[in-house]
Amino acid sequence: MPVHIGAKGFVRDSVTQKGIENVTVSVSGINHSITTGALGNFQRLLAPGTYNITASVTGYLPQTISQVEVKEGPATVLDFQLHPTVSVAVDDTPDITSAPPPTTEPPVTTKAEKLPPIHKSIQPQDFRHHHYSDMEIFLRMYNSEYASITHLYSIGKSVESRELYVMAISDNPHVHEPGEPEFKYIGNMHGNEVVGRELLLNLIEYLCKNYGSDPEVTRLVNTTRIHIMPSMNPDGYEKALEGDRDGIVGRNNTNNYDLNRNFPDQFFQITDPPQLETLAVMSWLKMYPFVLSANLHGGSLVVNYPYDDDEKGLSMYSKSPDDAVFQQLALSYSKENSKMFTGSPCKEIYPSENFPQGITNGANWYNVPGGMQDWNYLNTNCFEVTIELGCVKYPMAPELPTYWESNRRSLLEFMQQVHKGIKGFVLDATDGRGIFNATISVADINHPVTSDKAGDYWRLLVPGSYKVTASARGYVPVTKTLNVTEDGALVTNFTLIRSGADIHKEDKGKVSLMEPEKPDPTTQEFETLIKDLSAENGLEHLLLSTSSDIDLYRYRPYHDLSESLRGLNLNYPTITKLTRLGQSVEYRYIWSLEISNKPNVSEPDEPKIRFVAGVHGNSPVGTELLLTFAEFLCLNYKKNGAITKLIDRTRIVLVPLVNPDGRERATEKDCTSKIGQANANGKDLDTDFISKELSILPDDAFSFVWVIFSVTSRVFLEIRLTADSAVKLPVFLNMSNERLHKVVPGEIVLLL
């Protein structure tokens, strides 16, 4: 069928036979490459002809398949087998693109450790207050000296453009290893609470210097990826004053907002605008599968666990579903700090404070709406506690060695808790690959977690017997009874059977040249549909000429748009899937509607088309076109042969409004105003691709990405051909428009 013209297939590791993600697939003579998806899959649009196609990626020898013949009709199937540049054991830890085959044994091979005899650990020597430049040099120095186990990166910038640095420490610090948990420490959220900042720098020094000689440190680094952010509020720190016991100078960020009251809250609407530091941390937490975290503060000496507030806004115990787990986590830290464990550490400053065993429920201490630890727990898989490290917020430098000695064991012991509970993989019974975003739920605990890209998951639990269920869209759920002990995490894999029987399979040969399919009665109609869509103003003309029952002459505000999408999903549940991709700056949902004959079944070899509109809130034409197009597709499924074939053989994803905040500000009939063009932070999303709204768009391998803009009286539909598809589309280039100057071979821009 025409929709599959070109070349497609998989790129695999020749030793492990696992798919390799992010491989560059290039065609000789065409200056436009594509990359493989999460499973090593690729689809490359090509006109009929003969090509030399190369697959290359760091760590592997490139492979070129010559004289690949592409014909009219089905795509030519290619399988690349890349040889590692270094030897790789077949039973090594699975790479991120696939999980190990279904088995009752643990999927991750334990790493052999060659450790010398136990000797006394090397303690930090660098005890002083590190201002920003000093801290930056310190981090770069350790990253340079211990390059094999460290990775220094920034998650964004503060208001005053200071980097928000993070040091990752692991035996493979640059990548997530499937089956290995991710842990984080965050310090200095309040700029004048500095002990956490210095302790984390000490911890970096301690881990680096003792790796390979201290068994505990070596085991921890080999089995965990540890992320350490010494300062979340570097601007506030620069304003704070040494010797401050209980003041507020430097507590807030440069815009004078308390960052620990700035996160979205489950009980109250946070009216303060989200700060750069807050948004950076929220985006960071969505990028990594963090399991456990601690946020280091100062001004008291106690471990505080969720919830931090309650629906009444009162200081009273606010229990989370995982209250027992959080108490265990908090105790793991406090019991190693003798002064904290006494429960009455700051009598001189706060004589009435008493924390049995050095721990407290956050809301039972005092109410904190907008706190970071609750947001972690409610919006990610990460369990976080807040640790108050001392009664004085900014102690004098000579006192810092005492803080390290009091907290060293606690910091290490808390990190060990990431290896408690249960862990494993959720696997597809058909091909043994990991299932991304599967749900792992525990009976009687209303807090599910989800699997990562390779199907790996972690679920912290206290010792006991549990009924645990793994489920995923398009699969039959599996429930197991598990007994969790005090020992390390219980490794449990879940193998799920697909609920649908129709499964696409790939041919196995290196090059398989398939004969074109015989024309069927709907082929001509399908090709006419594609041609109509390709023509100037094609989508608009198509809808006007064929959609007499659809209202094309109104602009829908955000609420009506949301209801329209819900209505389509409710009325066409077998071919639609409505998903919340995330929220805008002002917390409006950004919706995605998938239209396919199997919207809840993962089919990685099926071409995907994504339409994105509403990047500029004051240009609603594209949004309305997509809403109308969605209804047109649903109405005509099983009625129109071409539409039916399109939906049956592709996955169409519509994101009609990326900038809902701007849309709500825009005014109808005001054609020259720029009100509503930018998002709520004043960012033009067309040029600022790290903004919150665009950062949440999924990074799947799409056959097309169509971005609809409104430019004066016209709408431009940009199609980026990044993989296999079947359409031969005429190219319309309007080089007088600056947006089109960067069009490269292989991209198509349609004027609508």
Side-chain angles (χ1 to χ4, degrees), residues 11 13 16-23 36-41 57-58 60 88 92-100 107-108 172-180 182 225 227 286-290 425-427 432-437 451-458 699:
V11 182
D13 186 304
T16 65
Q17 289 301 303
K18 296 162 188 168
I20 309 173
E21 185 179 14
N22 240 8
V23 177
T36 55
L39 301 177
N41 53 303
V57 67
T58 302
Y60 291 84
V88 179
D92 199 9
T93 304
D95 63 32
I96 197 167
T97 60
S98 63
V108 180
N172 196 358
H174 294 271
V175 298
H176 170 69
E177 296 183 76
E180 183 171 279
E182 308 270 347
R225 188 153 67 140
H227 302 254
K286 295 292 187 180
M287 292 172 60
Y288 295 87
F290 289 115
F425 288 80
V426 183
L427 307 169
R433 291 183 173 134
I435 301 173
F436 175 50
N437 214 29
S451 61
D452 196 44
K453 292 179 181 178
D456 43 347
Y457 76 91
W458 303 263
D699 58 355

Side-chain angles (χ1 to χ4, degrees), residues 123-172:
Q123 296 301 318
Q125 303 298 316
D126 194 356
F127 292 107
R128 68 177 187 277
H129 289 299
H130 293 74
H131 284 267
Y132 178 75
S133 296
D134 191 3
M135 179 185 75
E136 189 174 43
I137 293 170
F138 176 97
L139 294 171
R140 289 176 179 169
M141 177 183 69
Y142 275 89
N143 181 223
S144 175
E145 291 183 7
Y146 298 90
S148 64
I149 61 167
T150 64
H151 168 47
L152 181 62
Y153 65 99
S154 172
I155 67 165
K157 295 180 183 290
S158 67
V159 174
E160 294 182 16
S161 296
R162 293 183 174 93
E163 300 289 350
L164 301 177
Y165 283 115
V166 177
M167 182 77 91
I169 301 177
S170 181
D171 62 339
N172 196 358

Side-chain angles (χ1 to χ4, degrees), residues 379-611:
N379 294 276
T380 75
N381 292 331
C382 188
F383 287 54
E384 182 171 279
V385 301
T386 301
I387 303 174
E388 303 282 347
L389 292 165
C391 306
V392 177
K393 293 183 177 182
Y394 200 147
M396 305 302 288
E399 301 172 41
L400 292 176
T402 302
Y403 284 95
W404 169 251
E405 188 55 37
S406 298
N407 288 280
R408 177 178 61 87
R409 285 302 321 155
S410 296
L411 290 166
L412 295 171
E413 186 62 32
F414 186 76
M415 284 191 285
Q416 305 281 8
Q417 304 308 302
V418 79
H419 297 285
K420 302 290 186 180
I422 61 174
K423 68 176 182 178
F425 288 80
V426 183
L427 307 169
D428 186 314
T430 303
D431 56 19
R433 291 183 173 134
I435 301 173
F436 175 50
N437 214 29
T439 298
I440 296 87
S441 54
V442 181
D444 302 322
I445 301 178
N446 185 25
H447 185 76
V449 298
T450 55
S451 61
D452 196 44
K453 292 179 181 178
D456 43 347
Y457 76 91
W458 303 263
R459 207 331 175 162
L460 300 178
L461 292 167
V462 298
S465 180
Y466 301 92
K467 285 187 176 180
V468 182
T469 300
S471 59
R473 288 186 179 274
Y475 292 86
V476 179
V478 173
T479 299
K480 296 184 179 184
T481 299
L482 304 176
N483 292 310
V484 176
T485 67
E486 291 280 1
D487 300 327
L490 176 66
V491 178
T492 304
N493 296 333
F494 292 87
T495 302
L496 306 188
I497 299 172
R498 299 187 187 187
S499 56
D502 185 12
I503 301 168
H504 293 301
K505 294 183 179 179
E506 292 293 335
D507 294 333
K508 297 297 183 181
K510 283 189 177 181
V511 180
S512 176
L513 301 179
M514 301 176 64
E515 294 299 321
E517 293 179 351
K518 294 181 180 180
D520 61 69
T522 62
T523 298
Q524 187 63 44
E525 188 179 7
F526 178 82
E527 292 177 346
T528 300
L529 170 65
I530 297 300
K531 184 177 180 180
D532 289 343
L533 284 173
S534 306
E536 186 170 357
N537 301 315
L539 180 56
E540 183 180 358
H541 287 161
L542 175 69
L543 297 176
L544 286 170
S545 62
T546 60
S547 306
S548 58
D549 295 330
I550 301 177
D551 185 0
L552 300 175
Y553 301 100
R554 65 188 178 97
Y555 290 124
R556 277 161 277 204
Y558 172 76
H559 178 268
D560 290 357
L561 175 145
S562 300
E563 292 303 313
S564 295
L565 293 172
R566 290 191 187 100
L568 287 171
N569 184 227
L570 291 171
N571 284 283
Y572 300 96
T574 61
I575 62 169
T576 65
K577 173 182 166 185
L578 185 60
T579 305
R580 297 171 179 174
L581 296 181
Q583 292 178 301
S584 66
V585 173
E586 294 181 342
Y587 308 112
R588 294 180 176 91
Y589 288 117
I590 297 173
W591 296 103
S592 168
L593 182 72
E594 180 177 327
I595 302 176
S596 172
N597 67 329
K598 296 177 185 176
N600 296 315
V601 178
S602 176
E603 296 179 291
D605 58 341
E606 189 171 71
K608 302 178 183 71
I609 305 173
R610 181 167 70 203
F611 293 76

